[in-house]
Amino acid sequence: QVQLVQSGAEVKKPGSSVKVSCKAPGGSFSSYAISWVRQAPGEGPEWMGGIIPILGIANSAQKFQGRVTITADESTTTAYMELSSLRSEDTAVYYCAISTHYDYLRGSYRYIGIDYWGQGTLVTVST
Amino acid sequence: DIVMTQSPDSLAVSLGERATINCKSSQSVSYSSNNKNYLAWYQQKPGQPPQLLIYWASTRDSGVPDRFSGSGSGTDFTLTISSLQAEDVAVYYCQQYYSTPYTFGQGTKLEIK
């Protein structure tokens, strides 16, 4: 069982940035694939991007490119997601999540399902 | 992006009866080179994050009851609950992990009839 602990709820103004943290237990942190997934009220989950710390490989959905930065600090086993230029449509619960397995095929890594999820961080963007 | 479309949007089934949820992808999420289907199913209850039920389209995650099963390949997939229990009331999502961005279906809300 992998317990992920996320930072607390945030209220932000439009145009500002938010940085959400996700603390994972030590051990295999670096070898996991870490995703950030958000879920707006009443909507389905939306994958924003991810990182495999041990490989130093991060990628994000085209929709968020230029606005999202996903990083991982192996020394503190903490992952971060920063989203900038916030707008009201970014109001959602943001989850960090781990895939304990991934594969490599045709030049790309693929996260095999998402096994463990954080408790979620509500980010509200409002004037 | 690969679009995942689930049907139906909602479903009401009697306790002990079978529930079937369908998921269709806008392009194949299967690789012939390794014969694998890059498709997962999740269960989400109110106020909780999604929980992984099935990956590789048909492999149950650890601890998932065997009344849950997945099938399909290519673009068409199915989640079946063989005998509905009260604790299965939830929203179910399919997700492809064939290519980024990994996309989810819109969800199917499962209720007791």
Side-chain angles (χ1 to χ4, degrees):
Chain A
Q1 192 77 338
V2 176
Q3 194 113 2
L4 303 173
V5 180
Q6 298 183 222
S7 49
E10 303 261 14
V11 179
K12 293 291 183 180
K13 300 281 190 204
S16 66
S17 298
V18 67
K19 190 170 186 177
V20 181
S21 67
C22 171
K23 171 74 175 169
S28 303
F29 171 82
S30 295
S31 61
Y32 294 146
I34 302 165
S35 291
W36 287 90
V37 178
R38 76 177 186 180
Q39 191 167 26
E43 302 288 319
E46 180 177 32
W47 186 84
M48 301 177 67
I51 187 168
I52 304 175
I54 199 169
L55 300 175
I57 296 173
N59 59 61
S60 58
Q62 182 102 18
K63 173 179 179 178
F64 300 103
Q65 278 180 9
R67 286 212 299 147
V68 70
T69 304
I70 293 171
T71 56
D73 184 335
E74 294 179 70
S75 66
T76 60
T77 63
T78 302
Y80 299 92
M81 186 284 299
E82 184 169 22
L83 188 63
S84 61
S85 302
L86 289 169
R87 34 214 189 223
S88 59
E89 311 89 88
D90 294 318
T91 294
V93 175
Y94 288 75
Y95 294 104
C96 69
I98 276 177
S99 305
T100 54
H101 297 92
Y102 45 88
D103 77 355
Y104 183 80
L105 191 65
R106 295 190 184 178
S108 297
Y109 288 91
R110 289 167 178 80
Y111 305 176
I112 301 169
I114 299 176
D115 308 78
Y116 299 101
W117 298 70
Q119 83 276 18
T121 297
L122 176 61
V123 175
T124 303
V125 183
S126 173
T127 55
Chain B
D1 297 1
I2 298 176
V3 177
M4 307 299 289
T5 305
Q6 293 180 226
S7 61
D9 290 334
S10 64
L11 181 62
V13 174
S14 300
L15 289 172
E17 295 299 304
R18 178 185 300 259
T20 301
I21 298 169
N22 300 300
C23 175
K24 189 174 185 69
S25 56
S26 60
Q27 66 184 76
S28 175
V29 296
S30 305
Y31 268 119
S32 55
S33 58
N34 62 4
N35 201 33
K36 288 189 172 177
N37 299 290
Y38 287 68
L39 190 285
W41 288 97
Y42 300 84
Q43 176 192 70
Q44 187 175 29
K45 297 181 179 179
Q48 297 182 18
Q51 178 186 344
L52 180 65
L53 294 174
I54 285 170
Y55 56 97
W56 294 134
S58 61
T59 301
R60 272 189 302 277
D61 197 27
S62 175
V64 174
D66 61 8
R67 63 180 181 273
F68 291 91
S69 64
S71 63
S73 66
T75 60
D76 293 281
F77 300 90
T78 300
L79 174 69
T80 302
I81 308 172
S82 60
S83 177
L84 189 71
Q85 306 298 303
E87 61 266 31
D88 300 335
V89 169
V91 179
Y92 292 83
Y93 295 98
C94 61
Q95 179 222 2
Q96 64 81 18
Y97 50 95
Y98 177 91
S99 66
T100 57
Y102 304 136
T103 45
F104 292 80
Q106 82 279 14
T108 296
K109 186 174 184 179
L110 178 58
E111 299 172 312
I112 305 292
K113 186 187 291 183

